[in-house]
Amino acid sequence: MTTSKKILTYAVIVVLALVAALNYEIFVFPNKFAPAGLNGICTMIQHVTGISVGYMSLLINVPLAIAVYFMVSKPLAVRSMVYVVTFSVALLILDEVDLSRFYYSTPNGTSTILGPLVAGLIYGYCYSMLVQASAYSGGTDFIAAIIHKFKPEQNMFFLIFALNASVALMSYFVYDYQIEPVILCILYSFMSTTVSDKLNKSGRSAVCFEIITDYPQEISDEIIYHLNHSCTLIPAKGMYSGRETNMLICVVNKTQVAAISRIVRKYPNTFAIMDPVSEVMGNFKRMDSDGREEKPLLDNGDGKAV
């Protein structure tokens, strides 16, 4: 882990926090709905009392971050607090800036749906990048990390779902007994979760090849030499012909699919089955199409997201 990579990681966290703050100012607050999680509760408190989400975010997240620092992971807590503090301070500064010309809001109600959809998309992307930097956005993530530390078998889905459902339900009463803010909260939650999950899975996905061939040594040698991946050889038998053959199993990056296909086509009596793999665990190297290892842009510190 180099110093420059660590500096870049913190710089990315700061930029993500600034983007998230702008996202709230331009798409969330003008459309009068509460996003998911504890920030949704802060948004409703701001709507009712006028107390900025920036203050409320610090009030809620600082104690939680301290708990994560001593109970879960110091690097994780520090990185997350960089995000939380930057996000909160940015909101407080933006409260004093006239951004009305950039607000996306529709007083007549047309295309109101686009506000939470765009806001959810932006937050989903920011959250996926935070995960890669081993940081949290605070709130529910902190609570889940603490609970998971002491009860790793506990399913966090129901806790997060209950919190988000409560935010959506409360927004009906906070925003003048209207059903629209409830729908907008649900849309925001769905979009942000879908985008972050999709981006996180795409970063860990790969492709599994099952190659049936009479040339296992030659093909595996080419894969090892050209792609820097290895294979697993399994003796096989064709049930129609009764002939003995071989099956090679190889997991490669998506960028190397074309290279594997070129290798397979070179050998007679050889075919392959290709299946997408949603996630690869363990010591799996990321390679580009030329077989060079892809170095991660961000470092993940000493702690890891749970």
Side-chain angles (χ1 to χ4, degrees):
M1 176 178 14
T2 64
T3 302
S4 60
K5 184 178 289 188
K6 181 179 291 187
I7 293 173
L8 176 61
T9 301
Y10 278 101
V12 168
I13 292 173
V14 169
V15 170
L16 292 174
L18 295 175
V19 171
L22 278 172
N23 188 35
Y24 269 62
E25 290 287 345
I26 295 175
F27 295 108
V28 176
F29 298 153
N31 286 289
K32 296 182 179 180
F33 76 95
L38 293 182
N39 276 341
I41 297 176
C42 294
T43 301
M44 289 187 287
I45 293 175
Q46 175 179 280
H47 180 77
V48 174
T49 66
I51 301 175
S52 174
V53 172
Y55 290 121
M56 296 299 301
S57 177
L58 287 174
L59 182 64
I60 292 174
N61 285 305
V62 168
L64 291 175
I66 294 173
V68 171
Y69 183 88
F70 289 105
M71 296 180 184
V72 182
S73 168
K74 293 180 180 179
L76 178 62
V78 171
R79 289 165 183 252
S80 301
M81 272 310 298
V82 169
Y83 175 89
V84 169
V85 171
T86 304
F87 172 76
S88 300
V89 172
L91 281 180
L92 294 174
I93 294 175
L94 292 175
D95 286 342
E96 306 300 323
V97 179
D98 183 12
L99 296 175
S100 57
R101 70 180 67 181
F102 302 108
Y103 290 165
Y104 179 83
S105 61
T106 53
N108 61 353
T110 59
S111 300
T112 305
I113 188 176
L114 294 180
L117 288 180
V118 174
L121 188 153
I122 293 173
Y123 178 76
Y125 176 80
C126 291
Y127 187 81
S128 69
M129 290 294 294
L130 276 178
V131 171
Q132 294 181 41
S134 290
Y136 285 149
S137 61
T140 310
D141 290 337
F142 284 156
I143 296 174
I146 296 170
I147 294 176
H148 185 80
K149 175 68 175 181
F150 298 99
K151 294 185 177 182
E153 76 284 356
Q154 186 71 38
N155 190 339
M156 292 294 100
F157 171 80
F158 293 104
L159 172 64
I160 296 173
F161 174 80
L163 177 60
N164 292 339
S166 299
V167 171
L169 181 63
M170 285 188 294
S171 64
Y172 172 79
F173 301 96
V174 172
Y175 294 99
D176 301 325
Y177 302 96
Q178 297 183 47
I179 195 64
E180 185 178 62
V182 178
I183 297 173
L184 298 184
C185 177
I186 295 172
L187 287 175
Y188 174 92
S189 302
F190 174 80
M191 178 60 74
S192 59
T193 301
T194 301
V195 171
S196 62
D197 286 349
K198 183 69 175 177
L199 292 175
N200 285 329
K201 287 181 179 179
S202 66
R204 301 191 300 267
S205 62
V207 178
C208 178
F209 277 89
E210 297 175 355
I211 306 171
I212 310 300
T213 182
D214 293 330
Y215 305 91
Q217 190 62 55
E218 293 85 347
I219 292 177
S220 61
D221 287 345
E222 286 206 49
I223 292 174
I224 293 171
Y225 178 76
H226 294 294
L227 303 181
N228 288 326
H229 282 293
S230 187
C231 302
T232 299
L233 174 62
I234 300 176
K237 181 178 181 179
M239 297 307 295
Y240 179 77
S241 64
R243 186 169 65 87
E244 301 293 331
T245 185
N246 305 277
M247 181 170 68
L248 291 173
I249 298 178
C250 181
V251 179
V252 299
N253 305 110
K254 291 181 177 180
T255 57
Q256 298 174 311
V257 169
I260 289 281
S261 300
R262 286 195 299 269
I263 293 173
V264 169
R265 285 196 294 266
K266 290 169 57 178
Y267 296 91
N269 300 320
T270 297
F271 68 94
I273 301 170
M274 182 180 72
D275 289 309
V277 178
S278 62
E279 184 171 353
V280 179
M281 302 177 65
N283 186 19
F284 180 76
K285 293 182 178 180
R286 297 289 168 185
M287 304 290 184
D288 61 20
S289 58
D290 296 323
R292 294 188 296 267
E293 185 175 0
E294 296 179 350
K295 300 296 183 181
L297 183 63
L298 306 177
D299 77 88
N300 60 4
D302 297 323
K304 61 181 181 179
V306 293

